[in-house]
C-alpha cells in the first residue's frame, strides 16, 4: 500500500495501538505511586519486580535483555518479557531495544512450549513492530507466527497475540505477501472463532483487502458459504461493519485496477462467488434498511455493484 496510505497516519495508528496496550497494563496495575521517572541502576531481576514502575534506561534495558537471554527460569522469563513489552510501548525504547540486539532475543521466545511465555513474547514483538525499522527484523518471524496462529488453541490469548502481531505487520504493503498462502486459513479461522477472534481476523483481512495486489488472491480463495452469515442484520456491529468494509475495499481495489470482478475467472466456491452471488445481493438489500446508519450507508454503497 506504500503510496496508497499516508505514512504519518500509519505510524500514528500503530502508536495508538501500542499505547492502548500500555493503558490496559496500567489499569491492571492500579494507580501510580508518584510520577514516572528514571531511577538509579538496579539488578536485572529487580527490574522485573511488579512494583517497579518506571521507564527503563539503556543500561537497564541491556540488563533485562541479558537476563532474558540467559535465564531458564520460566517465571523470570515471563516477567522479563512483560517488563520489556511494556517498555516497548514507548517509541524511544523501540529503537533502543533494536540497537541492543533485543529483537532476536524476544523473537526466540515465540518458540517456547510454555503458552504464557509465547504470548508475552508475541505481545512484546507486537509493541516493537510499531517501529518501521523494527519490522525489517521482525518480518522473519511472520511465517512461523502464521503457522502457529492456526495451530494454537482456538480463541486463546496466544492466538490473539499472534493475530495482533500479524495485523501490525500488514498495515503497509511491505510484508503482506508473506501471508498470501495463509489467506484460506484466515477465512477458516474467521468462521470458527468467537467474537474477539472474528474481530481480530477481520482487522487483518481489512489490511490485505486495501492492497490491489492482494485482491485476486482474496477473491479466489475457497470459503465456506457460512461466511455470508456475517452479513446478517443481527450480527454485532463491530463484526458486521468490518465485514462490509472488507467487501467495499475489494470493490475499490477492482476499480483501481480498472477491471470488473466478472472479468476474472474464479472457481465455484470461491469468495468471489459468495460476494457477487444472489444470496449476498439479497443480504445487501436487507442491510440497506438496517437501523444503524453506518451499516445502512455501507450496504447502499455496495448494492449498486450487483
Amino acid at each position: 500500500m506504500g503510496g496508497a496510505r499516508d505514512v504519518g497516519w500509519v505510524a500514528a495508528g500503530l502508536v495508538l495501538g501500542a499505547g492502548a496496550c500500555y493503558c490496559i497494563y496500567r489499569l491492571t496495575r492500579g494507580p501510580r505511586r508518584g510520577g514516572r521517572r528514571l531511577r538509579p541502576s538496579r539488578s536485572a531481576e529487580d527490574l522485573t519486580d511488579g512494583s517497579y514502575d518506571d521507564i527503563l534506561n539503556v543500561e537497564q534495558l541491556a540488563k533485562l535483555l541479558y537476563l532474558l537471554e540467559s535465564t531458564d527460569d520460566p517465571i523470570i522469563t515471563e516477567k522479563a518479557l512483560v517488563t520489556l513489552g511494556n517498555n516497548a510501548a514507548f517509541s524511544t525504547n523501540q529503537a533502543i531495544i533494536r540497537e541492543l540486539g533485543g529483537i532476536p532475543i524476544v523473537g526466540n521466545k515465540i518458540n517456547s512450549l510454555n503458552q504464557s511465555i509465547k504470548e508475552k513474547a508475541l505481545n512484546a514483538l507486537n509493541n516493537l513492530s510499531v517501529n518501521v525499522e523494527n519490522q525489517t527484523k521482525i518480518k522473519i518471524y511472520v511465517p512461523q507466527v502464521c503457522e502457529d496462529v492456526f495451530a494454537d488453541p482456538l480463541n486463546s490469548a496466544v492466538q490473539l497475540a499472534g493475530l495482533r502481531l500479524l495485523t501490525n505487520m500488514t498495515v503497509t504493503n511491505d510484508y503482506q505477501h508473506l501471508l498470501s498462502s495463509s489467506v484460506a486459513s484466515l477465512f477458516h479461522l474467521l468462521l470458527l472463532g468467537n467474537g474477539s477472534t472474528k474481530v481480530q481476523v477481520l482487522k487483518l483481512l481489512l489490511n490485505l483487502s486495501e492492497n490491489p495486489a492482494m485482491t485476486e488472491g482474496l477473491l479466489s480463495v475457497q470459503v465456506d458459504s457460512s461466511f455470508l452469515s456475517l452479513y446478517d442484520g443481527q450480527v454485532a456491529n463491530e463484526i458486521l461493519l468490518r465485514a462490509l468494509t472488507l467487501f467495499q475495499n475489494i470493490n475499490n481495489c477492482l476499480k483501481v485496477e480498472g477491471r470488473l470482478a466478472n472479468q476474472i475467472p474464479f472457481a465455484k466456491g470461491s469468495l468471489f462467488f459468495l460476494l457477487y452471488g444472489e444470496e449476498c445481493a439479497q443480504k445487501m438489500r436487507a442491510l440497506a434498511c438496517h437501523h444503524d446508519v453506518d451499516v445502512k450507508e455501507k450496504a447502499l454503497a455496495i448494492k449498486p455493484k450487483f
Side-chain angles (χ1 to χ4, degrees):
M1 217 166 323
R5 194 181 281 201
D6 184 281
V7 175
W9 282 109
V10 170
L14 287 173
V15 169
L16 285 173
C21 290
Y22 184 75
C23 287
I24 294 171
Y25 153 74
R26 286 297 320 141
L27 289 171
T28 63
R29 287 283 308 277
R32 300 179 184 180
R33 293 181 294 279
R36 299 189 61 80
R37 64 192 182 283
L38 295 176
R39 292 182 182 172
S41 177
R42 296 178 55 167
S43 74
E45 289 194 32
D46 283 344
L47 299 176
T48 68
D49 185 348
S51 66
Y52 195 77
D53 192 31
D54 297 300
I55 304 173
L56 304 187
N57 59 30
V58 177
E59 179 189 355
Q60 292 166 332
L61 286 169
K63 284 183 177 181
L64 189 62
L65 287 167
Y66 176 78
L67 175 66
L68 185 59
E69 188 174 29
S70 59
T71 186
D72 291 323
D73 187 320
I75 295 176
I76 293 175
T77 298
E78 186 173 347
K79 287 182 176 180
L81 284 168
V82 170
T83 303
L84 197 65
N86 288 331
N87 274 267
F90 299 95
S91 57
T92 301
N93 282 349
Q94 291 159 7
I96 291 172
I97 291 169
R98 179 187 70 249
E99 291 162 1
L100 289 171
I103 289 176
I105 294 174
V106 176
N108 286 338
K109 299 304 178 183
I110 69 173
N111 297 313
S112 176
L113 297 178
N114 182 315
Q115 294 289 285
S116 187
I117 289 175
K118 182 177 177 180
E119 178 205 346
K120 303 307 186 296
L122 288 166
N123 287 338
L125 285 177
N126 184 46
N127 280 353
L128 286 167
S129 71
V130 170
N131 182 295
V132 175
E133 288 185 60
N134 286 353
Q135 290 192 0
T136 64
K137 295 185 178 296
I138 294 173
K139 68 180 181 181
I140 65 171
Y141 304 107
V142 168
Q144 181 184 339
V145 174
C146 282
E147 184 178 335
D148 289 351
V149 155
F150 305 124
D152 287 331
L154 183 63
N155 305 320
S156 62
V158 68
Q159 185 178 66
L160 286 170
L163 287 169
R164 283 193 293 269
L165 174 57
L166 294 176
T167 301
N168 259 8
M169 289 296 293
T170 55
V171 168
T172 66
N173 282 357
D174 296 339
Y175 310 113
Q176 290 185 358
H177 64 280
L178 297 174
L179 279 75
S180 295
S181 62
S182 301
V183 172
S185 297
L186 285 171
F187 275 99
H188 184 64
L189 183 56
L190 172 64
L191 300 182
L192 289 179
N194 62 15
S196 297
T197 300
K198 279 179 165 58
V199 167
Q200 198 59 54
V201 174
L202 281 167
K203 287 180 179 179
L204 176 48
L205 288 173
L206 284 177
N207 285 347
L208 302 182
S209 70
E210 291 186 350
N211 182 0
M214 298 293 291
T215 304
E216 191 166 344
L218 287 169
L219 286 174
S220 63
V221 72
Q222 293 288 302
V223 180
D224 190 85
S225 60
S226 60
F227 169 81
L228 291 180
S229 65
L230 297 178
Y231 296 117
D232 289 345
Q234 70 273 19
V235 170
N237 272 22
E238 61 178 354
I239 295 172
L240 178 55
L241 285 169
R242 288 185 171 91
L244 287 166
T245 304
L246 176 68
F247 198 168
Q248 273 189 308
N249 288 348
I250 289 173
N251 280 332
N252 291 340
C253 285
L254 289 172
K255 184 177 180 180
V256 167
E257 292 289 286
R259 56 185 179 177
L260 299 174
N262 59 15
Q263 293 176 332
I264 312 169
F266 294 104
K268 189 174 182 180
S270 64
L271 180 63
F272 164 77
F273 269 83
L274 294 180
L275 290 180
Y276 296 98
E278 178 54 32
E279 183 179 352
C280 190
Q282 291 176 2
K283 288 181 180 291
M284 291 304 116
R285 286 191 286 269
L287 291 176
C289 301
H290 197 273
H291 61 85
D292 183 88
V293 174
D294 293 329
V295 170
K296 182 177 180 178
E297 183 178 292
K298 287 183 178 293
L300 285 170
I302 291 170
K303 197 170 70 164
K305 306 302 179 183
F306 293 96

